[in-house]
Amino acid sequence: MEVAELQEALGPEQPGFRAQQLYRALYHEQAVDLIQISTLPSKLRQELAARHTLGLPACERRYQSADGTRRYLLKLADGRTVETVLMPETGRDTICISTQVGCAVGCTFCMTALMGLERNLTAGEIAGQVLYVARDNGLLPERARLNIVMMGQGEPLLNLPNVLKATRLLADPEGVGIPPRRITLSTSGVIPAIDELGREPVRPKLAISLNASTEEQRLELMPITRKYHLSDLLEACRRYPLRPWEKLTFEYALLKGVNDSDADARRVVKLLANLNCKVNLIALNPGPGIPFETPDPERVAAFQAIVRRSMPCFVRKPRGRDIYAACGQLKRVVSDLVPSPDTRQNSPANVPPHSALR
Ligand code: SAH
Ligand code: SF4
């Protein structure tokens, strides 16, 4: 809840600064219990605790990858579960959060698509994933090092009002306090919502899932292309109002023999010409029900070499594939395929090799 909503929940008899105090306690200090918010008078705390619960997600399961990645299955107030992933790295940590339970977009290479859409997450549930994972790992004292990516389950631009509200809660220095330039939203290309996002004063950085070098190819992989054509999507990117420090990111999942040729790479360069952007390549993360294969590292390197001549181009390291935590692998029903949950040690001995899961 934002300050105005807290003010309303507190009632007109409370002075305005109480709502601000409560807001700070909830999002900045990460209170876990209303009764313990010591900045509020104890009578008010008791009244609040009697009438409200915080609705923070609870951890249903936690999976530990050999590479340090942790995947969380978090339980929401209505009993549904959602997935959040922590990717620790020296110097910075990234939390990948979900914006919907499941996804309606139906990309043919993505395991989340197999779930369909169950429901939108609320702003509190979106920001709550960050609060939970950060607290579980003691990351908040160094919140300036945290990166947030909205690349978990769901299409964030099909839940835009809640995504924007969550961004404000996360970015506000009095709230969670993670600067907007450290928050990234990834979309399959919902054009009207990209325009809407561009008009927001507080908004995450924008990443676009390109994944194809022609309209026909993209239609096969991402059925949303039927509604929002590739050429129109790139037009929307051209008119998107970037902030002075900002670049667009294009993500490209490489699928063996489908979209990974030298000709594809050259077409990508042409499509993105004159855009202030960088490209992130992701070699397909495989999974049950996904009818594609991962290209060899040499193919990925050759693709990168072509794109890199014209614009910055990086290969995203696969993270947590062994626990189904990598891009496009979030689909909770696979949880019985992965090593026993909550193995807190980081030892490879606890985790079967990747090949056991392919
Ligand atoms: N719905 C949003 C954000 C979540 S998907 C979107 O599509 O952008 C996050 C990223 O994972 C997208 O770039 C998507 O193309 C990529 N992805 C999905 N399935 C994948 C897979 N099996 N292997 C590699 N990347 C995948
Ligand atoms: Fe949804 Fe993104 Fe997966 Fe496509 S890639 S099905 S938009 S989560």
Side-chain angles (χ1 to χ4, degrees):
M1 283 196 205
E2 294 184 273
V3 179
E5 293 166 293
L6 289 172
Q7 176 75 61
E8 202 166 301
L10 285 171
E13 64 281 4
Q14 291 294 334
F17 65 84
R18 287 278 178 248
Q20 189 66 43
Q21 280 176 326
L22 180 55
Y23 176 81
R24 191 176 161 86
L26 293 178
Y27 297 105
H28 200 82
E29 324 286 355
Q30 280 87 45
V32 286
D33 192 345
L34 286 162
I35 216 78
Q36 283 167 8
I37 302 178
S38 56
T39 45
L40 301 179
S42 78
K43 184 160 170 287
L44 177 59
R45 279 189 251 163
Q46 280 162 15
E47 279 171 21
L48 284 175
R51 281 189 287 135
H52 300 278
T53 51
L54 287 186
L56 288 170
C59 187
E60 175 136 318
R61 283 177 172 206
R62 193 176 89 159
Y63 303 92
Q64 176 76 50
S65 163
D67 68 15
T69 302
R70 281 181 175 172
R71 175 165 73 107
Y72 290 81
L73 201 56
L74 298 180
K75 194 169 185 154
L76 307 170
D78 67 351
R80 290 183 198 265
T81 50
V82 82
E83 289 172 298
T84 309
V85 180
L86 170 70
M87 294 164 283
E89 253 171 87
T90 33
R92 69 171 181 167
D93 296 309
T94 301
I95 302 179
C96 175
I97 58 177
S98 296
T99 53
Q100 299 182 308
V101 184
C103 184
V105 176
C107 303
T108 50
F109 50 82
C110 173
M111 283 174 69
T112 307
L114 301 174
M115 294 175 70
L117 175 66
E118 293 189 15
R119 74 166 168 87
N120 279 336
L121 295 180
T122 66
E125 288 168 339
I126 297 170
Q129 296 168 62
V130 174
L131 295 181
Y132 186 93
V133 172
R135 193 175 328 104
D136 193 48
N137 294 278
L139 303 176
L140 285 161
E142 293 198 70
R143 62 188 85 213
R145 282 188 27 203
L146 264 183
N147 289 302
I148 308 299
V149 293
M150 296 180 182
M151 297 188 188
Q153 285 182 14
E155 169 46 61
L157 293 190
L158 292 178
N159 185 16
L160 186 59
N162 290 327
V163 162
L164 288 173
K165 186 169 163 188
T167 305
R168 291 192 294 269
L169 294 170
L170 291 170
D172 183 357
E174 285 293 298
V176 184
I178 299 168
R181 62 176 73 198
R182 289 189 165 265
I183 307 176
T184 301
L185 172 162
S186 169
T187 181
S188 56
V190 185
I191 295 176
I194 293 177
D195 289 329
E196 217 176 302
L197 184 70
R199 292 192 286 269
E200 282 297 316
V202 179
R203 57 185 150 107
K205 289 197 297 185
L206 179 59
I208 311 273
S209 297
L210 181 63
N211 295 337
S213 69
T214 67
E215 171 87 6
E216 300 69 48
Q217 206 180 54
R218 199 168 192 269
L219 264 172
E220 293 284 309
L221 302 175
M222 303 181 74
I224 195 172
T225 311
R226 230 178 301 152
K227 189 158 181 190
Y228 301 118
H229 303 295
L230 180 55
S231 54
D232 297 336
L233 175 59
L234 293 167
E235 212 33 67
C237 293
R238 289 207 169 80
R239 65 176 175 262
Y240 188 77
L242 290 170
R243 289 156 286 189
W245 44 267
E246 192 175 8
K247 260 185 202 309
L248 287 171
T249 301
F250 286 91
E251 297 163 280
Y252 195 101
L254 288 161
L255 280 48
K256 185 173 186 169
V258 176
N259 65 357
D260 65 346
S261 69
D262 287 355
D264 284 306
R266 285 192 293 269
R267 280 193 293 263
V268 166
V269 167
K270 262 209 185 126
L271 288 175
L272 305 184
N274 303 322
L275 277 162
N276 181 8
C277 69
K278 66 171 178 172
V279 176
N280 279 343
L281 303 174
I282 321 164
L284 177 86
N285 291 310
I290 301 300
F292 299 105
E293 286 173 57
T294 308
D296 306 326
E298 298 73 40
R299 182 83 301 269
V300 176
F303 196 103
Q304 181 193 20
I306 294 173
V307 179
R308 208 169 41 189
R309 274 186 236 134
S310 305
M311 60 197 76
C313 178
F314 306 92
V315 178
R316 193 109 61 75
K317 252 193 338 219
R319 298 290 310 249
R321 269 191 193 167
D322 55 353
I323 55 165
Y324 282 94
C327 294
Q329 293 190 311
L330 299 184
K331 174 173 179 280
R332 59 166 187 270
V333 292
V334 298
S335 41
D336 51 342
L337 292 174
V338 303
S340 61
D342 222 8
T343 40
R344 295 202 170 216
Q345 303 94 313
N346 203 357
S347 137
N350 290 322
V351 181
H354 289 171
S355 54
L357 294 160
R358 292 242 173 95

